[in-house]
Amino acid sequence: MAGIYIHIPFCRQKCYYCDFYKTVNTSLQHDFIGALKNEAKVRKNYLNNETVETIYFGGGTPSVLTAPEIAEILAVLNKEFTVNSNAEITFEANPDDLSNAYLKYLKQEGINRLSIGIQAFQNRHLEKMNRRHNAAQAVEAIENAAKNGFSNLSADLIYGLPDLTPKEWEESLNQMFKLPVKHLSAYHLTYHEGTAFYTWLKKGTLKELKEAESVAQFNTLVDLSIANGFEHYEISNLAKDQLYSRHNTAYWMGTKYLGLGPSAHSFDGVSRRWNDSSVEAYIKAQTNNQTYFDEEKLSENDQYNEYILTRIRTKWGVSEKELEQRFGHEKASYFSRQLAKYNDTGVLQINNEIITLTRKGLFVSDEIMADLIII
Ligand code: SF4
């Protein structure tokens, strides 16, 4: 069982908070598709012929791709890999790209899950973030996707935005719950160095939300989502009818995956590889058969850390039994000692030897994870 991630590094314009690798130079798109197809062929043995259960088009903005480009990519994946006929195929899209004609193409090409970047339902926030769509387009995109037969719909929202009021955040969530969305990814805004938001924060022209307000927005997210039939299954992810993201859940469960495209990461169980970020360099390297990635073999400590970092963020948690079986008594004892520091703090809970974060713990998860891993 394995997954394939494809990084589409193009965006029509840059959002002011985003630090993902992307370029607005879409003139490179044609050469990029050629390079991507080449990488898929060259790396066809990376997954050891394991069946591909999930394919994920992320970015960047995959919805800048034309229908024939999507078809070409999927054809090469189906030719070079064993893709399950029932595979989850997710496609990230911006609302303003989802015309009826485009949605029909996506459906026809076998895309069966859409992840739509909504971020907010207030035009003032969308403009401030430099998103290309407005609130009305966001609603229309989700409704049109459902009308075109997409029943597995995910949407992204951002909270903790500068000057996002509690009322606006509730309004965004309630608007989302009125729509046929089965999965919600909600992220707290991060001020990444190199982004416009970071520069404005440093200059003082933009003000960070107070921590207490961020915590309150996180609580509103979880409370309202649960009240509307969603299950909080990972720090930033909530799902209805058990429609978890199969692709991301496989990451958290330590499944192998192949990442294609600039900046994409791959994992084969014992080592990690990450491609260089520049699309120009990526195309050149694919054309000239040059190395375009870095790699690291995971030590036993790295593998233990990976297990903790990925599992503790999910509702499936860390199993003390599995920890001992996989990593031995010494590491399991280390984990228990670190865990004991949190007795009576209310941030962790244990059920049948499975350790998960409580609601209180989810918000301070970075701190707890740093304490549980081996540095
Ligand atoms: S948030 Fe998405 S659309 Fe906006 S710049 Fe980043 S990758 Fe592109």
Side-chain angles (χ1 to χ4, degrees):
M1 177 179 164
I4 296 180
Y5 172 80
I6 299 148
H7 191 82
I8 307 299
F10 303 104
C11 290
R12 299 192 205 278
Q13 74 185 33
K14 291 187 184 179
C15 304
Y16 291 150
Y17 58 89
C18 172
D19 79 328
F20 290 146
Y21 176 68
K22 75 267 170 190
T23 171
V24 288
N25 182 4
T26 47
S27 67
L28 295 170
Q29 210 163 303
H30 175 76
D31 291 345
F32 163 75
I33 300 291
L36 188 74
K37 284 172 18 191
N38 185 59
E39 190 188 7
K41 282 180 199 155
V42 170
R43 299 182 69 194
K44 61 189 263 180
N45 294 325
Y46 188 81
L47 297 173
N48 224 357
N49 211 25
E50 286 191 29
T51 305
V52 174
E53 299 289 346
T54 62
I55 296 175
Y56 195 103
F57 287 81
T61 310
S63 51
V64 301
L65 295 177
T66 62
E69 286 169 341
I70 300 165
E72 273 182 61
I73 297 171
L74 286 171
V76 82
L77 296 185
N78 279 307
K79 182 163 176 262
E80 305 297 346
F81 300 90
T82 314
V83 180
N84 188 333
S85 56
N86 196 24
E88 174 192 88
I89 308 182
T90 303
F91 193 86
E92 287 183 353
N94 273 354
D96 48 318
D97 289 325
L98 292 179
S99 64
N100 271 317
Y102 197 69
L103 283 160
K104 282 191 174 64
Y105 280 136
L106 294 179
K107 193 84 194 146
Q108 187 183 304
E109 292 309 330
I111 308 292
N112 51 29
R113 184 172 184 270
L114 285 182
S115 171
I116 309 178
I118 303 294
Q119 319 311 357
F121 280 104
Q122 296 79 27
N123 288 338
R124 76 181 193 104
H125 289 297
L126 292 168
E127 282 161 25
K128 238 191 255 175
M129 288 187 269
N130 202 33
R131 298 290 302 177
R132 284 186 301 136
H133 66 277
N134 59 35
Q137 284 172 303
V139 172
E140 202 186 330
I142 295 172
E143 284 174 343
N144 279 347
K147 275 184 208 147
N148 279 282
F150 286 96
S151 52
N152 196 349
L153 284 177
S154 179
D156 285 2
L157 284 179
I158 300 182
Y159 63 102
L161 287 166
D163 141 61
L164 175 70
T165 66
K167 192 167 167 274
E168 284 175 324
W169 179 230
E170 270 187 42
E171 186 183 272
S172 282
L173 289 166
N174 284 328
Q175 171 63 77
M176 188 66 83
F177 300 135
K178 282 188 211 146
L179 295 166
V181 167
K182 293 292 175 90
H183 186 276
L184 178 57
S185 296
Y187 301 97
H188 190 281
L189 174 72
T190 307
Y191 292 88
H192 296 285
E193 216 173 325
T195 62
F197 266 26
Y198 181 85
T199 309
W200 296 332
L201 181 72
K202 292 291 153 196
K203 275 193 191 156
T205 49
L206 185 153
K207 241 172 119 201
E208 202 168 359
L209 212 62
K210 291 202 178 79
E211 166 136 14
E213 290 173 63
S214 288
V215 175
Q217 289 186 6
F218 176 74
N219 282 321
T220 304
L221 162 72
V222 180
D223 288 338
L224 280 185
S225 300
I226 290 171
N228 282 278
F230 281 74
E231 185 186 359
H232 190 198
Y233 75 101
E234 194 268 347
I235 296 176
S236 311
N237 288 286
L238 306 106
K240 224 175 178 176
D241 305 336
Q242 300 193 330
L243 282 172
Y244 313 121
S245 159
R246 280 167 55 193
H247 186 81
N248 288 341
T249 301
Y251 283 156
W252 301 320
M253 293 298 153
T255 305
K256 287 180 187 176
Y257 59 87
L258 168 69
L260 302 173
S263 81
H265 286 229
S266 305
F267 172 66
D268 65 0
V270 287
S271 67
R272 292 203 165 279
R273 268 171 75 152
W274 53 98
N275 289 353
D276 296 342
S277 284
S278 149
V279 66
E280 289 90 348
Y282 175 77
I283 293 169
K284 197 166 158 239
Q286 289 301 326
T287 316
N288 301 326
N289 241 347
Q290 291 163 339
T291 306
Y292 57 95
F293 60 85
D294 281 309
E295 191 172 20
E296 71 170 350
K297 289 257 175 277
L298 298 180
S299 66
E300 237 186 64
N301 280 357
D302 292 336
Q303 290 181 38
Y304 161 88
N305 289 346
E306 287 268 336
Y307 175 83
I308 302 294
L309 293 172
T310 49
R311 287 295 183 89
I312 198 85
R313 48 191 310 125
T314 70
K315 71 163 192 157
W316 298 284
V318 170
S319 154
E320 289 200 278
K321 216 169 162 185
E322 193 181 349
L323 199 66
E324 174 124 18
Q325 276 165 1
R326 282 184 58 180
F327 303 104
H329 184 66
E330 204 184 305
K331 286 196 175 54
S333 304
Y334 170 82
F335 179 77
S336 303
R337 282 197 303 279
Q338 296 301 97
L339 203 63
K341 291 186 189 173
Y342 291 98
N343 284 347
D344 306 322
T345 59
V347 295
L348 290 164
Q349 61 203 359
I350 306 180
N351 264 326
N352 293 329
E353 295 186 9
I354 303 284
I355 295 106
T356 52
L357 295 165
T358 60
R359 166 97 64 102
K360 191 175 162 197
L362 286 167
F363 206 79
V364 288
S365 56
D366 285 351
E367 218 174 289
I368 301 169
M369 288 189 227
D371 227 9
L372 296 176
I373 61 172
I374 299 171
I375 300 165

